[in-house]
Amino acid sequence: GQNIDQPTEMTATEGAIVQINCTYQTSGFNGLVWYQHHAGAAPTFLSYNGLDVLEEKGRFSSFLSRSKGYSYLLLKELQMKDSASYLCAAMDSNYQLIWGTGTKLIIKP
Amino acid sequence: ETGVTQTPRHLVMGMTNKKSLKCEQHLGHNAMYWYKQSAKKPLELMFVYNFKEQTENNSVPSRFSPECPNSSHLFLHLHTLQPEDSALYLCASSQDGTSGGNEQFFGPGTRLTVL
């Protein structure tokens, strides 16, 4: 079957670094995406990884290991506004996104 | 603003009502999607339209009926829903529905409550 696993909730301190992990099992694989979702707002795209490289965009980075079926999202210099749910989704052989349940990230002062 | 709007933002309906959700994208995309997000569950893909043609229907009950009159508009018609259909319904669009790395742009969703 197809499955995406990510932690339900994480807590971190403002100014610190946090890593959100995601493991996947899909029928075929065409890349992995990360989205940020603030309650009441539209989920917004953060990154796409198709190869085993580290993608960096400002304070956010994403890494993929296809051999391990594993990805992580790294958030640096955490700000209070980073409190949100972070959704991991893998693209299967039909380019359909298979979604995880999301990781609720709580940032404390 | 993601370029995708959804109306209404909140909807409360009885099980015998008929209502429709509307989605509009201003991005010139050719693919549009309906997703259901229930509490503590993954996003569930319901329908995909690519160039106005329905390409996916993930075993969705017939009480949900999609309509895509053109590439910019997508509707979800609701009829005789059940309380377990209460959820956040998200619309998304992308350039097309067949390429890898295709970023999907989401609307803010419609929070639906079925009484």
Side-chain angles (χ1 to χ4, degrees), chain B residues 18-103:
Chain B
K18 287 184 182 181
K19 296 287 184 183
S20 295
L21 309 184
K22 179 182 177 182
C23 176
E24 184 173 359
Q25 56 97 358
H26 311 276
L27 302 168
H29 288 166
N30 296 302
M32 296 188 77
Y33 312 76
W34 277 119
Y35 286 93
K36 175 183 178 183
Q37 187 178 43
S38 303
K40 299 183 180 179
K41 289 186 177 180
L43 277 173
E44 299 172 48
L45 179 65
M46 300 174 73
F47 301 104
V48 181
Y49 278 82
N50 204 21
F51 293 90
K52 300 189 295 178
E53 296 294 322
Q54 185 174 311
T55 57
E56 288 286 340
N57 176 345
N58 283 0
S59 304
V60 180
S62 60
R63 57 186 184 268
F64 294 92
S65 174
E67 179 189 359
C68 188
N70 55 61
S71 293
S72 299
H73 294 86
L74 185 65
F75 295 90
L76 188 62
H77 304 298
L78 314 172
H79 177 50
T80 59
L81 295 191
Q82 304 298 311
E84 59 265 29
D85 297 322
S86 298
L88 180 68
Y89 289 83
L90 289 164
C91 172
S93 71
S94 65
Q95 187 58 48
D96 65 60
T98 59
S99 302
N102 226 337
E103 179 182 347

Side-chain angles (χ1 to χ4, degrees), chain A residues 4-69:
Chain A
I4 308 293
D5 279 319
Q6 53 181 130
T8 303
E9 187 173 300
M10 298 181 72
T11 302
T13 304
E14 189 177 15
I17 299 173
V18 70
Q19 177 174 311
I20 303 174
N21 297 325
C22 173
T23 59
Y24 63 88
Q25 284 181 302
T26 54
S27 303
F29 180 74
N30 280 300
L32 187 138
V33 296
W34 285 94
Y35 278 78
Q36 181 189 59
H37 190 192
H38 285 101
T44 54
F45 175 82
L46 291 177
S47 68
Y48 166 78
N49 289 76
L51 301 172
D52 291 6
V53 295
L54 182 69
E55 297 282 348
E56 296 185 84
K57 284 185 183 179
R59 296 185 297 113
F60 292 9
S61 304
S62 59
F63 171 78
L64 174 68
S65 170
R66 288 173 296 170
S67 62
K68 295 181 180 178

